[in-house]
Amino acid sequence: MAGKTKTFIQIHENDNVLVALVDLQAGSIIDFEGKSIKMQQEIQAKHKFTIEPLPKGGLIFMYGTVVGRTKMDLPIGSLITTQNTTHEAANFGKKTENFKWNPPDISRFKNRTFLGYHREDGQVGTANYWLIIPLVFCENRNVEVIKDAFNEALGYGKTNPFKSLVKNMVSLFQEGKEEEIENLSVEKVQEKKSETLFPNLDGIKILDHQGGCGGTRRDSESLCALLAGYINNPNVAGATVLSLGCQNAQPSILKEKLNKINPDIKKPVIVLEQQKEGTEQQLLSEAIKKTFLGMAKANHHERKPSPLSKLTLGLECGGSDGFSGISANPAVGYASDLIVALGGTTMLSEFPELCGVEQELINRCNTNESADKFSALMKAYSASAVAVGSGFDMNPSPGNIKDGLITDAIKSAGAAKKGGTSPVTDVLDYAEYFQKPGLNLVCTPGNDVESTTAMAGSGANIMVFTTGLGTPTGNPIAPVIKISTNTKLAKRMPDIIDIDTGGIISGEKSIPEMGEEILEMIIKVASGEIKPKAVLLGQDDFIPWKRGVSL
């Protein structure tokens, strides 16, 4: 177990600011390395304060790297705020050193397995879904109709307790008992889910979106590449694709993208075109009949033991706070290192949230080619943001800033901890499918859903998602494990949190201990033993990136 609870922490020995782990009152004094530091203002937990006087224009260091520049003179013990600090990040260039990695001890996990769905191409799924995909937004209503028909008839539909709640409210209102309405609770009116016809099929998922036509041809090409990645994902048994007929995102483009990823794909892919089928009823009838028969075959797949090297873990953070880079993200990074050391694959995305740590990641790249690709993608992305009057410095949200992430460089340095310490084996542009095990960098926006959407399209079969403020986000096909950075959040929003890493902040747990605990949860979820909260709540978020500026 780690030591007793601390009131502050210095993350790196070269840092000139400390992070408050508890609220520190104005005028209070702490002892740090033999000197007394008096708080100039109240320092709320998660926020940073100076350990030496800083002149106007002085650099601020956290995680051992530059994360900001002062706008004014700051005496020792000063709170870092957006009023006195501006974004500043370290420069980056070519790969400058050969990286040597010390992997973690994997003896506890080296002979472990998870129960997954083995596909003919060698991939292993952590779930078994049938996908229904519209190639264009015009088909969104039709895929919803198909999903609703199957969910109700086959027992996949999740009961909506709020419908029963509203019915009860209506009854009380009609009976003149309005005063009793406030005493009703959702728990009292929940219903049980019915049994499903296909027990080995986890359900039907749809990927509705607002693309496929209009916009640019590049948008349609990118969308088809993303959808092809979803079809190829091992968590998918087969797919039904609905095309209108006249849209930019043609079935031929989808087929081309799928063939590029997996020329020998054996999964059933049903493609129907509404303008050829005739009436909507004819289209839907044909789609439902073919889909039912496909689902019946997909039900023959059963979970079988698989080595942990078949895990492909997406690494995500959202609603981040000042503890993210101290607790949850480093713990996830340790779990990532364990999976990489076991021969598995992990994915670190959100390029706007890698601002300032580029050189470290470049030096961790196995090849100069990967290093150059990462550098080029980062520069192009940054330039496109600046060209429309924005920039990576505008990434932190009001919630981030309120909870201590004052600059994008501070946020990025903590976000990058999800990637652990392992070498970077490959760099993927948006909608590229992974080819190499190990840590992959995936070019996506910092937007939570655009990022998780992309990682599933690049082959992630499971994801971990850290949050300090609380973010109800999931994915249609890859189960998402939600991890809180602090115990207050875990207690306040237990309906969305699966793991609490607040023990690291309190000193009750170490980062390696939490990392191993996270991997244990990953194995259970991958085996179907536990459904994470995002799956139970039906949080099937899907937003393709239209390659414009999104931070």
Side-chain angles (χ1 to χ4, degrees):
M1 302 292 286
K4 65 179 182 179
T5 302
K6 297 180 179 179
T7 58
F8 61 87
I9 186 174
Q10 183 184 40
I11 298 173
H12 188 279
E13 61 182 2
N14 293 335
D15 294 353
N16 56 8
V17 294
L18 302 180
V19 183
L21 300 181
V22 297
D23 292 344
L24 301 174
Q25 299 302 312
S28 62
I29 297 174
I30 65 160
D31 292 321
F32 176 70
E33 293 187 345
K35 64 181 176 182
S36 297
I37 301 177
K38 182 179 180 180
M39 301 301 106
Q40 301 295 322
Q41 307 93 358
E42 178 186 2
I43 313 292
Q44 293 185 351
K46 308 179 185 181
H47 285 263
K48 292 78 183 167
F49 59 94
T50 60
I51 60 174
E52 60 189 23
L54 296 178
K56 180 180 179 180
L59 295 177
I60 296 173
F61 290 85
M62 274 188 69
Y63 301 94
T65 190
V66 177
V67 296
R69 186 182 293 274
T70 61
K71 297 180 181 179
M72 61 188 71
D73 293 340
L74 295 180
I76 186 171
S78 294
L79 173 68
I80 299 300
T81 69
T82 53
Q83 285 72 44
N84 61 31
T85 301
T86 187
H87 169 82
E88 185 79 19
N91 294 322
F92 63 96
K94 293 285 187 178
K95 182 175 169 67
T96 58
E97 59 185 60
N98 292 321
F99 180 70
K100 293 183 180 180
W101 184 44
N102 294 316
D105 178 12
I106 58 171
S107 56
R108 174 178 169 182
F109 297 98
K110 66 179 181 180
N111 295 319
R112 298 281 297 279
T113 60
F114 72 96
L115 296 175
Y117 294 97
H118 292 244
R119 306 303 180 188
E120 291 187 51
D121 60 4
Q123 296 186 96
V124 179
T126 65
N128 194 34
Y129 290 113
W130 189 276
L131 272 184
I132 304 179
I133 302 173
L135 271 182
V136 62
F137 57 82
C138 308
E139 295 297 326
N140 282 348
R141 176 183 169 279
N142 286 332
V143 298
E144 286 280 359
V145 170
I146 296 172
K147 182 192 75 169
D148 291 344
F150 276 117
N151 280 346
E152 183 174 346
L154 302 182
Y156 291 120
K158 296 181 183 298
T159 58
N160 183 344
F162 299 102
K163 289 183 178 180
S164 297
L165 177 62
V166 172
K167 288 179 181 178
N168 284 6
M169 291 165 58
V170 170
S171 296
L172 289 174
F173 182 82
Q174 291 174 334
E175 295 169 9
K177 301 177 180 178
E178 295 178 51
E179 70 281 356
E180 296 183 22
I181 289 178
E182 290 189 359
N183 296 324
L184 289 175
S185 67
V186 174
E187 289 76 16
K188 293 179 181 178
V189 294
Q190 284 182 336
E191 301 169 356
K192 291 184 178 180
K193 178 184 172 184
S194 59
E195 293 297 319
T196 179
L197 178 66
F198 300 134
N200 293 325
L201 194 66
D202 291 308
I204 283 185
K205 297 292 182 179
I206 66 172
L207 304 180
D208 56 346
H209 56 84
Q210 302 304 314
C213 203
T216 67
R217 296 303 169 94
R218 183 189 185 190
D219 290 339
S220 295
E221 292 271 346
S222 179
L223 175 64
C224 286
L226 178 71
L227 297 177
Y230 269 74
I231 294 172
N232 193 62
N233 189 294
N235 290 0
V236 173
T240 300
V241 181
L242 297 189
S243 168
L244 177 60
C246 57
Q247 75 279 350
N248 288 340
Q250 286 290 304
S252 59
I253 302 176
L254 178 66
K255 183 178 180 181
E256 173 194 333
K257 300 298 184 183
L258 190 55
N259 186 65
K260 182 179 179 181
I261 294 173
N262 190 348
D264 300 317
I265 191 168
K266 299 295 194 299
K267 291 180 185 179
V269 180
I270 302 163
V271 181
L272 295 170
E273 185 174 305
Q274 185 170 2
Q275 290 170 348
K276 286 183 179 179
E277 293 295 329
T279 67
E280 187 175 275
Q281 183 175 351
Q282 288 173 309
L283 171 74
L284 293 174
S285 297
E286 190 69 11
I288 288 172
K289 288 185 289 186
K290 289 181 180 295
T291 298
F292 183 89
L293 295 175
M295 292 171 65
K297 291 182 180 178
N299 186 56
H300 294 157
H301 293 286
E302 295 182 354
R303 291 184 181 271
K304 297 177 182 178
S306 172
L308 300 186
S309 59
K310 293 298 183 179
L311 291 172
T312 304
L313 179 69
L315 310 168
E316 181 66 27
C317 60
S320 299
D321 70 351
F323 285 164
S324 293
I326 302 172
S327 58
N329 289 351
V332 162
Y334 192 85
S336 173
D337 284 347
L338 288 171
I339 290 174
V340 170
L342 290 161
T345 304
T346 63
M347 297 179 178
L348 181 64
S349 58
E350 301 180 291
F351 275 25
E353 297 176 14
L354 299 178
C355 179
V357 295
E358 295 97 337
Q359 192 61 51
E360 177 199 339
L361 292 169
I362 286 170
N363 289 338
R364 284 167 58 184
C365 287
N366 276 347
T367 66
N368 289 329
E369 181 182 16
S370 291
D372 291 345
K373 183 176 181 180
F374 174 59
S375 178
L377 286 170
M378 285 294 290
K379 289 178 180 177
Y381 198 159
S382 177
S384 66
V386 172
V388 295
S390 186
F392 286 173
D393 60 301
M394 297 183 182
N395 173 272
S397 70
N400 295 151
I401 294 169
K402 179 177 177 291
D403 269 43
L405 300 179
I406 302 303
T407 70
D408 185 49
I410 292 177
K411 183 178 179 180
S412 294
K417 295 299 180 183
K418 301 191 304 294
T421 62
S422 65
V424 174
T425 57
D426 207 359
V427 176
L428 307 176
D429 198 356
Y430 182 76
E432 285 187 327
Y433 207 84
F434 89 97
Q435 301 293 327
K436 300 176 183 178
L439 176 62
N440 286 242
L441 304 182
V442 185
C443 184
T444 77
N447 177 289
D448 304 342
V449 179
E450 287 176 321
S451 175
T452 53
T453 295
M455 287 191 288
S458 289
N461 59 14
I462 192 167
M463 298 187 203
V464 287
F465 188 124
T466 70
T467 182
L469 304 177
T471 306
T473 296
N475 183 264
I477 64 170
V480 176
I481 300 169
K482 203 66 60 66
I483 302 172
S484 70
T485 71
N486 62 91
T487 301
K488 286 184 179 179
L489 169 63
K491 291 181 177 179
R492 187 173 68 253
M493 302 179 74
D495 58 322
I496 69 168
I497 299 299
D498 299 294
I499 300 176
D500 172 27
T501 63
I504 295 174
I505 300 300
S506 66
E508 298 171 275
K509 292 283 183 73
S510 68
I511 288 171
E513 284 175 331
M514 283 307 315
E516 291 187 349
E517 193 172 313
I518 290 169
L519 181 51
E520 290 287 0
M521 173 66 85
I522 290 170
I523 294 170
K524 290 178 181 178
V525 171
S527 299
E529 295 178 26
I530 295 177
K531 288 187 177 181
K533 305 291 179 61
V535 173
L536 293 174
L537 292 171
Q539 291 167 341
D540 295 336
D541 304 296
F542 179 82
I543 302 179
W545 183 25
K546 292 185 70 175
R547 210 55 189 258
V549 175
S550 177
L551 298 177

